């Protein structure tokens, strides 16, 4: 996904806050690795599955269940065969804890399958906070994979609804995280005023999430990215936002760096986007020697998604531009 598409300026206001919600959400939890190979055919496949179920009298036979799993797993670019998984019975017979562990193992790469599994245990767990925030996460990730705007919007609003219910049950870090993430992503469909309002809501809930779970690197990255974008708001943009909402978030590149460096410290793997934004902060502060160090670190990161492809091109451009500042 090309970051330039997020740079479209709407009335000079939505640029920074829009980026601070849209780009952030599209990169949450490194889920951009997902391959959208057969997304265009998903709707047709689901219709075929429904017709097959109707023919079977509403029952899913073993073969039909296997086919359903195959069809839905193609949306993530990989194959999942329930018959080859020795712990597949955990979906229907495991304890709540074991069931959630299984969902958590699956949801990042197979969000649709995870949502379907959660639906199977709805009668048991639908009023539990753990079930609700996982449903929110699952629908949010399904939305990320969906090209059709109307369907993507529908999935996103499901995510928001489940996250709201999760917060009502238990305002945990994950509930705040996925509510903030989903509301932030809603800016894709909102007016300029709605985008800014959602930006405030996003920041509020990510702040709460990080207080509850300060060891989550993604939360620190989200705050750092938000602070970086806000720090770049022009005087005109700040005045316009203040006229609409009475205030606008205040931040500096120093505050952004604190969050981004904390995310780097906590992250278990090299993180391309995080290192790229760290370098951008140093460039904005005209600390080019520090910037090239992080640019060189970013170049060494693995490229695992379309967004990474776009970012690495930007990083290499910066490397060529600031290479002379190496110590």
């Amino acid at each position: 996904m090309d970051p330039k598409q997020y740079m479209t300026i709407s009335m000079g206001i939505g640029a920074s806050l829009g980026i601070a919600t849209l780009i952030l959400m599209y990169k949450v939890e490194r889920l951009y690795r997902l391959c959208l190979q057969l997304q265009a055919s998903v709707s047709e496949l689901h219709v075929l599955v429904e017709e097959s179920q109707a023919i079977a009298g509403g029952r899913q036979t073993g073969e039909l269940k296997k086919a359903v799993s195959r069809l839905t797993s193609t949306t993530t670019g990989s194959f999942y065969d329930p018959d080859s998984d020795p712990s597949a019975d955990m979906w229907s017979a495991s304890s709540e804890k074991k069931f959630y562990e299984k969902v958590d193992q699956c949801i990042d790469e197979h969000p649709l399958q995870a949502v379907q599994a959660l639906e199977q245990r709805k009668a048991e767990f639908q009023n539990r906070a753990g079930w609700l925030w996982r449903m929110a996460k699952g629908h949010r990730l399904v939305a990320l994979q969906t090209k059709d705007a109307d369907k993507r919007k529908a999935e996103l609003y499901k995510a928001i609804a489940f996250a709201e219910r999760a917060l009502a049950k238990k305002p945990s870090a994950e509930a705040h995280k996925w509510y903030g993430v989903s509301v932030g992503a809603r800016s894709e469909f909102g007016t300029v005023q709605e985008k800014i309002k959602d930006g405030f809501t996003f920041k509020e809930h990510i702040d709460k999430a990080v207080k509850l779970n300060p060891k989550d690197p993604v939360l620190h990255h989200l705050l750092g990215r938000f602070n970086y974008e806000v720090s770049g708001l022009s005087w005109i943009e700040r005045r316009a936002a203040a006229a609409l909402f009475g205030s606008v978030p205040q931040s500096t590149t120093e505050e952004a760096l604190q969050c981004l460096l904390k995310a780097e410290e906590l992250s278990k793997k090299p993180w391309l986007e995080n290192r790229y934004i760290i370098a951008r902060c140093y460039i904005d502060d005209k600390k080019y020697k520090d910037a090239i160090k992080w640019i060189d670190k970013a170049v060494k990161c693995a490229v695992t998604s379309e967004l990474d492809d776009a970012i690495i091109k930007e990083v290499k451009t910066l490397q060529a531009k600031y290479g002379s500042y190496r110590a």
Side-chain angles (χ1 to χ4, degrees):
M1 192 173 298
D2 188 348
K4 292 181 181 178
Q5 69 178 296
Y6 298 110
M7 301 302 291
T8 302
I9 299 177
S10 177
M11 293 177 63
I13 303 172
S16 293
L17 291 180
I19 297 167
T21 52
L22 285 173
I23 283 188
L24 295 177
M25 304 313 110
Y26 279 97
K27 195 62 179 177
V28 167
E29 297 228 309
R30 314 299 298 149
L31 295 168
Y32 303 98
R33 303 178 181 130
L34 300 173
C35 181
L36 307 179
Q37 294 177 352
L38 298 177
Q39 190 65 48
S41 63
V42 170
S43 296
E44 180 181 354
L45 292 175
H46 284 184
V47 170
L48 292 174
V49 170
E50 290 173 0
E51 291 177 350
S52 299
Q53 289 175 315
I55 293 173
R59 293 177 291 105
Q60 279 197 12
T61 65
E63 287 304 309
L64 182 56
K65 182 178 180 181
K66 186 174 180 179
V68 170
S69 199
R70 286 177 174 173
L71 291 175
T72 56
S73 66
T74 58
T75 64
T76 61
S78 56
F79 179 84
Y80 177 82
D81 184 348
D83 291 348
S84 68
D85 186 349
S87 59
D89 61 334
M90 291 173 66
W91 291 123
S92 58
S94 61
S95 67
E96 184 175 7
K97 180 180 178 181
K98 290 292 185 180
F99 173 67
Y100 288 157
E101 288 176 356
K102 182 68 175 177
V103 169
D104 292 341
Q105 292 171 8
C106 164
I107 196 168
D108 288 353
E109 295 186 3
H110 303 276
L112 180 58
Q113 179 193 340
V115 168
Q116 291 172 337
L118 288 163
E119 285 285 359
Q120 290 177 11
R121 306 292 293 270
K122 179 178 180 179
E124 299 169 78
F125 306 138
Q126 62 180 318
N127 291 317
R128 306 288 181 86
W131 186 89
L132 290 165
W133 72 251
R134 286 177 175 85
M135 284 292 285
K137 178 179 180 178
H139 282 292
R140 173 68 193 110
L141 302 185
V142 170
L144 279 176
Q145 297 182 356
T146 305
K147 291 183 177 180
D148 181 84
D150 290 337
K151 293 179 181 178
R152 185 167 63 252
K153 183 177 180 180
E155 290 293 332
L156 184 57
Y157 276 80
K158 288 179 184 178
I160 293 171
F162 279 114
E164 286 177 338
R165 290 176 58 193
L167 285 172
K169 286 290 179 182
K170 182 181 179 180
S172 66
E174 291 295 327
H176 281 295
K177 177 179 180 177
W178 290 104
Y179 182 72
V181 163
S182 300
V183 167
R186 185 171 61 186
S187 64
E188 177 185 359
F189 305 103
T191 64
V192 172
Q193 291 89 340
E194 289 169 339
K195 288 180 181 181
I196 298 175
K197 182 179 179 182
D198 284 345
F200 278 98
T201 301
F202 162 79
K203 177 66 162 56
E204 174 190 353
H205 285 275
I206 299 303
D207 278 339
K208 290 179 179 179
V210 92
K211 287 180 181 178
L212 292 167
N213 185 13
K215 294 185 178 181
D216 185 339
V218 174
L219 294 172
H220 290 283
H221 172 79
L222 293 175
L223 286 179
R225 188 62 189 258
F226 185 86
N227 288 337
Y228 172 69
E229 299 297 345
V230 169
S231 72
L233 283 172
S234 69
W235 177 82
I236 294 176
E237 290 167 340
R238 290 181 185 279
R239 286 293 299 272
L244 289 170
F245 292 93
S247 64
V248 67
Q250 300 291 322
S251 188
T252 64
T253 51
E254 288 80 6
E255 291 173 318
L257 276 169
Q258 287 178 7
C259 296
L260 295 165
L261 290 172
K262 187 64 176 180
E264 184 73 18
E265 175 189 332
L266 294 171
S267 181
K268 295 180 180 179
K269 296 181 179 180
W271 191 344
L272 172 59
E273 187 182 9
N274 197 63
R275 293 180 176 186
Y276 168 64
I277 303 303
I278 290 173
R280 295 295 320 184
C281 287
Y282 282 123
I283 289 171
D284 287 358
D285 286 343
K286 297 182 171 53
K287 296 179 179 179
Y288 304 126
K289 290 184 179 180
D290 291 319
I292 191 61
K293 291 178 183 178
W294 286 97
I295 291 168
D296 289 341
K297 288 182 179 182
V299 167
K300 296 177 183 178
C301 293
V303 176
T304 58
S305 70
E306 291 181 27
L307 182 57
D308 283 350
D309 286 336
I311 291 173
I312 200 66
K313 291 177 182 177
E314 295 291 330
V315 170
K316 289 180 178 179
T317 298
L318 294 177
Q319 190 178 48
K321 183 174 181 179
Y322 296 100
S324 62
Y325 287 94
R326 291 189 184 90

